[in-house]
Amino acid sequence: MLELIAQNLAPIMFAALIAFLLLGYPAAFSLSAVGLIFFVVGVELAPYSGGAINLSWPLLGTLPERIYGVMTNDTLLAIPFFAFMGLILERSGMAEDLLETVGQLFGSVRGGLAYAVIFVGAMLAATTGVVAASVISMGLISLPIMLRYGYDPRFATGTIAAAGTLAQIIPPSLVLIVLADQLGRSVGDMYTGALIPGLMLTGLYTLFAFVVSLVWKDAAPGLPPEAIHHRGSDGSRGYTSLIALTTVCGALAWFAMRDTQYTGADYVILTLTLATWLAIVGAAASWLIRRSTGRRLLSALAEQVVFVMVPPLLLIFLVLGTIFIGVATPTEGGAMGAVGAMLLALAKRLSENNKQRFSLDIVRSATRATAKLSAFVMFILIGARIFSLTFYGVNGHLWVEHLLVSLPGGEIGFLIFVNVLVFFLAFFLDFFELAFIIVPLLAPAAQALGIDLVWFGVILAVNMQTSFMHPPFGFALFYLRSVAPRSPYVDRVTGRTMPPITSAQIYWGAVPYLIIQLIMVGVLITFPGLVRHEKAPAPARVQQGMGAPHTPAGAFEKQGFSLPPYPPQIPGAPPPDRSGPGAPTLDMSVPPVIVKP
């Protein structure tokens, strides 16, 4: 009996972790507790395992070094910077300004408010990178407006929740930073690879809103004429001026960039950055001419769009552009974005003489929220390190790899199984827990099948969005439920008594967008070329042996969640047999040595 338990300790350990999580214990403490308990069990059962368990008490002494490796991981330092940048912009009222301006831009177009929510959701995703901030902001601001003008509650709530989850996939997403760290790939590659899928998903959301506005006209009406502002003196909307400004700035930016060496996403981001600069110059010139002569160079709508939408867009393009072209690392880009966000908020305060735009209280609140998020991530990662120490010591990585590589269907069968698994695990795990617990177990099998890990990571990032949209457990639905009216209320503009929003309406509204997310996963599996990035060099191999020099602290820690996934191969020798009782195992009591290929 002891021999049977010892030789199957890896699946028992994994099942115990799932049981702890289902019982509601925090993920960080569940990982640490399971890792330490099974370490003790593994050491005691090692003599009965027939070589399947490679744990010993001296190995426990490596835990401080592994935890220190987490604390010195430069990649994860980008998380607090990007989170702080987004929280400053969100608390300074940017979301409210964007929603009001984009809503006015679409005006009386049927479904215009839905388009505005999706577009602003994409912009908030590129600035906050935090789903909770996006959903709560748009729920507080746009939901009352959409209900006021007759939008169907299911369509309105579903659109807000789905637009908020774009923070998962559009750079600079926090989940892409974590996935890059866990998969051992650069954050820049993950950002480049996720750019087109993120924009495509935004387009699919917009297409669905367009279909709804055509088929169910009462579900998505346009704004009434009395709700439309920013008109010219003759009553016109000023679209001609806005289109002319956009065309001229775009043409000039393209002309300036046409002979440069940049291509792909780098070219697009840099061209857009230059175009936004030109738009700001044009709007500023129009404002100066109007102040000095009383005549307008641009319409009121064009000036409003430029002054409200272009500054955050410029910040996004500057941050992503410097990362894409290699001028700055993601950590440096995040730091630049955090400083830029404070400067934008300060400029808003000075231009409007409004202390609510930027103050010490806003900075203090954003810092506190950033510290909580960062501590949450670090505690989960530390727990994951403890869990991985034991799990790899009982050869759990080999068990998972054999299980996944032997699936029928090869690469496609593996991807389908993994995505179905992640979809169902997302019912009770959030994306950080999925990234730190599940992804490191899947990555070795994906690499063994020859799957590009950046492509694999982007597919998982899109799939992990469903963790926010699952009825009844989706976190985005909980965030929206917390700010949606639970009882009848009087609209402050029309004076009408509005009905409450029920949980059932929120859940049903999320279902179509959940289906769209799954369709996007299928599209990425079918067309891997949509994930574009520079191929990363082959990772270093790990060799083991008695008497080998000790690896410098953190040398192998920064490559991801765990130690290398399978036994090394001697150059020129045939690959080892990983099946049957004679399969090689990884002796974790021996420190590894990095050997460059």
Side-chain angles (χ1 to χ4, degrees):
M1 185 63 181
L2 290 178
E3 290 81 359
L4 179 64
I5 295 176
Q7 293 174 4
N8 293 277
L9 198 59
I12 295 173
M13 182 179 177
F14 189 75
L17 174 63
I18 298 299
F20 270 74
L21 293 173
L22 286 175
L23 288 172
Y25 291 102
F29 302 120
S30 297
L31 286 164
S32 303
V34 171
L36 293 175
I37 291 171
F38 277 85
F39 187 94
V40 176
V41 174
V43 170
E44 297 300 324
L45 292 181
Y48 305 96
S49 66
I53 297 177
N54 297 286
L55 293 174
S56 60
W57 291 116
L59 186 60
L60 199 60
T62 65
L63 268 183
E65 184 179 10
R66 293 172 66 82
I67 294 174
Y68 183 72
V70 176
M71 307 305 294
T72 57
N73 191 330
D74 293 337
T75 300
L76 297 178
L77 190 59
I79 291 177
F81 284 135
F82 282 121
F84 183 79
M85 176 183 79
L87 290 167
I88 286 289
L89 292 176
E90 182 259 329
R91 282 164 166 73
S92 65
M94 183 194 72
E96 185 173 359
D97 293 342
L98 286 173
L99 282 167
E100 194 273 337
T101 301
V102 179
Q104 290 293 320
L105 183 63
F106 285 104
S108 59
V109 175
R110 188 178 291 116
L113 285 177
Y115 302 146
V117 167
I118 294 170
F119 182 77
V120 173
M123 287 192 63
L124 290 178
T127 54
T128 65
V130 182
V131 173
S134 299
V135 173
I136 291 174
S137 297
M138 291 192 297
L140 288 170
I141 299 164
S142 62
L143 183 58
I145 299 174
M146 297 177 81
L147 297 177
R148 177 184 307 152
Y149 295 117
Y151 274 69
D152 184 277
R154 293 169 298 179
F155 178 57
T157 55
T159 302
I160 292 171
T165 61
L166 289 172
Q168 285 281 94
I169 188 64
I170 294 181
S173 163
L174 299 186
V175 73
L176 293 176
I177 298 175
V178 174
L179 285 173
D181 179 67
Q182 298 304 297
L183 294 172
R185 293 298 182 262
S186 75
V187 177
D189 279 348
M190 291 296 293
Y191 280 177
T192 305
L195 186 61
I196 293 178
L199 296 177
M200 285 184 62
L201 191 59
T202 305
L204 289 176
Y205 289 169
T206 307
L207 179 62
F208 174 72
F210 176 73
V211 171
V212 169
S213 67
L214 287 180
V215 178
W216 297 282
K217 297 181 180 180
D218 293 338
L223 288 176
E226 62 271 15
I228 298 175
H229 311 296
H230 304 296
R231 295 183 182 273
S233 57
D234 57 353
S236 63
R237 293 301 316 280
Y239 286 124
T240 303
S241 175
L242 179 61
I243 294 172
L245 177 66
T246 305
T247 303
V248 170
C249 292
L252 289 176
W254 171 81
F255 184 80
M257 293 292 297
R258 72 189 192 286
D259 294 329
T260 60
Q261 75 275 19
Y262 299 108
T263 59
D266 299 352
Y267 176 82
V268 173
I269 292 294
L270 291 175
T271 303
L272 290 174
T273 303
L274 181 57
T276 53
W277 272 114
L278 294 173
I280 289 179
V281 171
S286 174
W287 181 81
L288 289 174
I289 291 173
R290 177 167 57 86
R291 290 294 299 270
S292 59
T293 66
R295 304 185 63 180
R296 283 186 176 275
L297 182 64
L298 297 174
S299 65
L301 179 65
E303 285 190 9
Q304 175 73 7
V305 168
V306 171
F307 287 137
V308 171
M309 294 179 58
V310 169
L313 280 175
L314 183 61
L315 180 62
I316 295 167
F317 294 150
L318 284 175
V319 171
L320 294 182
T322 54
I323 294 174
F324 284 176
I325 66 177
V327 174
T329 65
T331 301
E332 294 165 347
M336 182 176 64
V339 174
M342 288 193 290
L343 292 177
L344 281 182
L346 179 60
K348 276 285 187 182
R349 170 178 173 168
L350 296 176
S351 63
E352 300 178 7
N353 194 23
N354 184 357
K355 293 183 179 180
Q356 293 182 349
R357 291 293 191 178
F358 186 69
S359 65
L360 184 60
D361 288 338
I362 290 177
V363 175
R364 187 183 296 113
S365 173
T367 304
R368 187 181 298 112
T370 301
K372 288 181 179 179
L373 176 65
S374 302
F376 171 71
V377 173
M378 298 307 290
F379 266 98
I380 291 181
L381 188 50
I382 290 171
R385 293 288 191 187
I386 298 172
F387 178 84
S388 69
L389 179 69
T390 304
F391 194 69
Y392 278 65
V394 297
N395 285 318
H397 57 295
L398 294 179
W399 168 68
V400 173
E401 182 184 343
H402 292 159
L403 181 67
L404 296 177
V405 172
S406 60
L407 289 171
E411 178 182 299
I412 299 299
F414 168 80
L415 289 173
I416 292 174
F417 174 82
V418 164
N419 280 283
V420 172
L421 174 67
V422 170
F423 177 78
F424 284 105
L425 287 177
F427 274 91
F428 58 92
L429 296 178
D430 70 12
F431 73 93
F432 275 129
E433 293 163 349
L434 287 169
F436 288 135
I437 299 172
I438 304 301
V439 172
L441 302 178
L442 303 176
Q447 199 163 20
L449 290 170
I451 295 174
D452 176 30
L453 291 185
V454 173
W455 174 46
F456 184 59
V458 172
I459 292 174
L460 291 181
V462 176
N463 198 343
M464 286 180 188
Q465 281 187 297
T466 62
S467 69
F468 287 91
M469 296 291 288
H470 278 307
F473 305 109
F475 289 98
L477 308 184
F478 290 154
Y479 299 146
L480 189 57
R481 174 70 278 177
S482 68
V483 297
R486 295 176 178 270
S487 58
Y489 67 99
V490 177
D491 185 77
R492 61 182 178 86
V493 174
T494 63
R496 291 185 291 123
T497 300
M498 307 297 293
I501 298 295
T502 65
S503 297
Q505 289 173 328
I506 296 176
Y507 294 157
W508 281 111
V511 170
Y513 291 99
L514 181 63
I515 295 173
I516 291 174
Q517 291 172 349
L518 296 178
I519 291 173
M520 190 65 204
V521 172
V523 169
L524 290 177
I525 293 175
T526 307
F527 303 102
L530 293 173
V531 180
R532 299 180 179 275
H533 69 98
E534 297 294 330
K535 297 295 183 183
R541 294 192 307 273
V542 176
Q543 186 182 39
Q544 291 189 350
M546 295 299 295
H550 184 48
T551 307
F556 60 89
E557 306 288 350
K558 294 183 182 180
Q559 298 181 12
F561 172 109
S562 56
L563 291 175
Y566 32 69
Q569 180 180 348
I570 299 174
D577 179 17
R578 297 193 181 98
S579 61
T585 57
L586 182 62
D587 184 1
M588 296 186 61
S589 63
V590 181
V593 178
I594 300 296
V595 179
K596 298 294 182 183

